[in-house]
Amino acid sequence: MNLSLALATAALLSAEPSSTLPAGHPVIPPGTQASPARPGAAMPEGHPPTEGVAPSINPEQLPPGHPPMSGTGRAPPSADELLRQLDSTEGLADREKTFEIAASLGRLYYVNGRNTEALTYLQQALSRARPTRELFLAQRKKLGKAAMPTAEAAGCGFTVNMPVEEMGAVAQTRAQKGDAAGAAACSRAALAPVLDVAVMQANAHYLSNDSAKALAAYDAVLEVEPRHEDALYSRAALLFETKGDDVAALKEAGAGFEALVAAHPDSYRASMAKRMAGLVEETVRAGGRKKLVASRAEDRRIRLSQAPTAAAPDAPRPLSQDMVDAVKNTERTPELEQGLAKLVEEGEALLAKGNYQEALANYTRVVPFQPENGRAKAGMAWALVGLERPMAARVWGVAVQSDPLSVEKLGDTLKAKGDEKGAKALWAKLAADAPEYPNKASLQEKLGK
């Protein structure tokens, strides 16, 4: 991954939504905490009134899945406010914490792009869960080829929001009684939230440019759950991206993509994994990425030598080191904002012409400065999809989850600029990947369904 794309991807993924709203909940724009997307937007059936001062609400009035209310009538603190409070808490990193508290702190820092701090707390959470992990691996080994029952069948008795360490204690008791099957089932169920934290840790290592630790973290997840979708895809993509000339590693990447398709054929990642598996196979046959690129260049040279001379296409505009430094140092002046807006407009025009690489070069100059810019996120995601990059599914998922309306509007822009085929392909993908999108009826109308 080149520097500009790495900067843009890190900025974009740090804003990745971390929770799912109840069915029918209005879209929440990035950067807000609980406000509807527009004034007067319809609330789901059973939602408490929101006019005026917040009333005292009986918890039974809230719709299913609604987060608990404090009862104070005040809005919860923003992420920035929480982070300022945490940063000012002396000795917080050294305090003893439960798995749940450490994991929550790690997630908060992770989704706000503070990967160094996130890794500290995520590791603390995983350390609290290590005894349960070791218990599971030992009990599963005792089972051998015998089938492991579900937690329900094993009668683990777990309740919603039961702490990981309490569930681990239940599994430990089963093991002490010689019930290997029950101990394995209960400890595996206890590890479900732990695996999510472990994947987050791997992602944070990747975003911190430590591919070796990221691979080790993905491996740790797959040791417990070989079918884990996030870990399968991310590990395979990372191997392909960082070890393109290591044929053995490429074969591992191909096996990972194929395993994902076999285990999760209905996943939105399955089609991309199939394409990636084919690209990996082609790269292996060539003997590595450098040899593949050289082979393609030679093929192109031969074709060009046999064709009439034509003007070379415009090359993508490179991201200078000054622009990289400006991410941290440049004042956000009106002139800068106008320049970024122009880059987005040019990127959309390039997308409409199918010039995905050139469009991506524009967006990677915008997203580091404006990671919450919905138009830039949508354009960058569509460019990556068009280029079939390993990170395309992930970045597309972020754009769709955080600002699906901007994704839909990108289709309108493509159509207006003459790319009706591209617009319909984008809308169809949005409809397939965001089944709960509130404007889905509009999409269906645009698709002629």
Side-chain angles (χ1 to χ4, degrees):
M1 180 180 289
N2 61 45
L3 181 57
S4 58
L5 183 54
L7 278 171
T9 302
L12 195 155
L13 294 183
S14 69
E16 186 172 4
S18 60
S19 62
T20 303
L21 295 170
H25 198 291
V27 175
I28 294 181
T32 62
Q33 297 301 311
S35 301
R38 58 189 182 280
M43 295 294 182
E45 183 178 354
H47 198 289
T50 60
E51 297 295 329
V53 179
S56 176
I57 299 298
N58 184 332
E60 295 180 357
Q61 292 179 265
L62 299 175
H66 197 292
M69 297 180 65
S70 64
T72 64
R74 297 191 299 270
S78 68
D80 286 341
E81 290 170 337
L82 281 175
L83 288 173
R84 282 196 295 270
Q85 292 175 18
L86 293 172
D87 290 341
S88 64
T89 303
E90 186 175 353
L92 178 62
D94 298 324
R95 295 182 187 178
E96 190 76 8
K97 307 171 190 69
T98 64
F99 168 86
E100 287 71 25
I101 290 176
S104 296
L105 289 169
R107 180 182 295 276
L108 178 63
Y109 279 106
Y110 172 74
V111 299
N112 284 279
R114 301 272 297 273
N115 292 309
T116 299
E117 294 91 342
L119 286 167
T120 295
Y121 294 113
L122 294 174
Q123 183 56 48
Q124 290 177 358
L126 293 173
S127 294
R128 300 292 299 191
R130 185 176 296 118
T132 302
R133 170 190 166 83
E134 292 174 350
L135 175 66
F136 168 72
L137 294 175
Q139 298 303 307
R140 185 178 64 180
K141 185 176 181 180
K142 285 185 179 181
L143 278 179
K145 295 183 180 181
M148 183 177 69
T150 64
E152 292 76 12
C156 299
F158 294 158
T159 58
V160 177
N161 296 327
M162 189 172 183
V164 165
E165 289 163 88
E166 288 187 20
M167 291 190 284
V170 171
Q172 183 63 53
T173 299
R174 292 292 189 90
Q176 291 171 350
K177 294 179 179 179
D179 181 5
C186 296
S187 55
R188 174 62 186 85
L191 289 174
V194 179
L195 296 184
D196 292 339
V197 169
V199 168
M200 196 183 306
Q201 180 195 49
N203 294 342
H205 280 309
Y206 169 76
L207 293 172
S208 300
N209 297 316
D210 195 334
S211 298
K213 287 185 178 178
L215 285 172
Y218 291 131
D219 285 338
V221 174
L222 294 171
E223 184 181 16
V224 172
E225 179 47 76
R227 293 163 48 91
H228 196 283
E229 183 179 347
D230 286 344
L232 277 173
Y233 188 89
S234 298
R235 181 181 185 275
L238 185 54
L239 282 171
F240 180 72
E241 187 171 317
T242 61
K243 298 181 181 292
D245 292 302
D246 183 337
V247 173
L250 287 172
K251 290 180 178 179
E252 283 188 49
F257 287 126
E258 291 170 357
L260 185 147
V261 173
H264 307 281
D266 298 325
S267 167
Y268 72 93
R269 291 191 179 99
S271 60
M272 177 62 77
K274 288 179 183 178
R275 290 195 293 270
M276 289 305 302
L279 180 57
V280 169
E281 183 178 358
E282 182 183 6
T283 308
V284 169
R285 285 199 304 267
R289 183 177 294 124
K290 289 181 180 178
K291 292 181 179 180
L292 176 63
V293 171
S295 173
R296 287 179 172 178
E298 178 63 14
D299 289 344
R300 183 173 183 273
R301 187 192 66 78
I302 294 173
R303 288 197 306 271
L304 290 175
S305 69
Q306 298 171 346
T309 303
D314 293 336
R317 286 165 289 182
L319 179 70
S320 68
Q321 185 61 44
D322 288 341
M323 183 62 76
V324 175
D325 295 337
V327 174
K328 293 184 178 179
N329 302 324
T330 298
E331 179 183 358
R332 300 310 197 258
T333 63
E335 292 77 14
L336 174 62
E337 298 298 327
Q338 291 170 7
L340 296 176
K342 185 177 180 181
L343 285 171
V344 172
E345 291 175 2
E346 291 176 355
E348 291 168 344
L350 290 165
L351 286 177
K353 295 177 181 178
N355 297 333
Y356 298 115
Q357 186 62 54
E358 292 89 337
L360 181 62
N362 273 32
Y363 291 122
T364 53
R365 296 172 66 184
V366 176
V367 172
F369 289 97
Q370 297 178 340
E372 298 298 344
N373 185 325
R375 286 176 67 186
K377 284 193 290 187
M380 180 177 171
W382 192 238
L384 288 168
V385 169
L387 292 168
E388 298 186 351
R389 292 288 182 84
M391 290 297 292
R394 183 88 183 281
V395 175
W396 170 263
V398 172
V400 168
Q401 291 178 49
S402 62
D403 196 351
L405 184 58
S406 289
V407 178
E408 180 185 353
K409 288 182 177 179
L410 176 59
D412 297 333
T413 301
L414 295 178
K415 183 177 180 181
K417 293 183 180 295
D419 184 17
E420 184 171 359
K421 182 179 179 181
K424 287 190 173 182
L426 182 147
W427 290 329
K429 186 170 178 58
L430 174 60
D433 295 343
E436 301 300 326
Y437 179 40
N439 291 344
K440 192 166 185 179
S442 172
L443 286 181
Q444 299 299 336
E445 182 178 351
K446 291 175 180 178
L447 291 168
K449 297 182 179 180

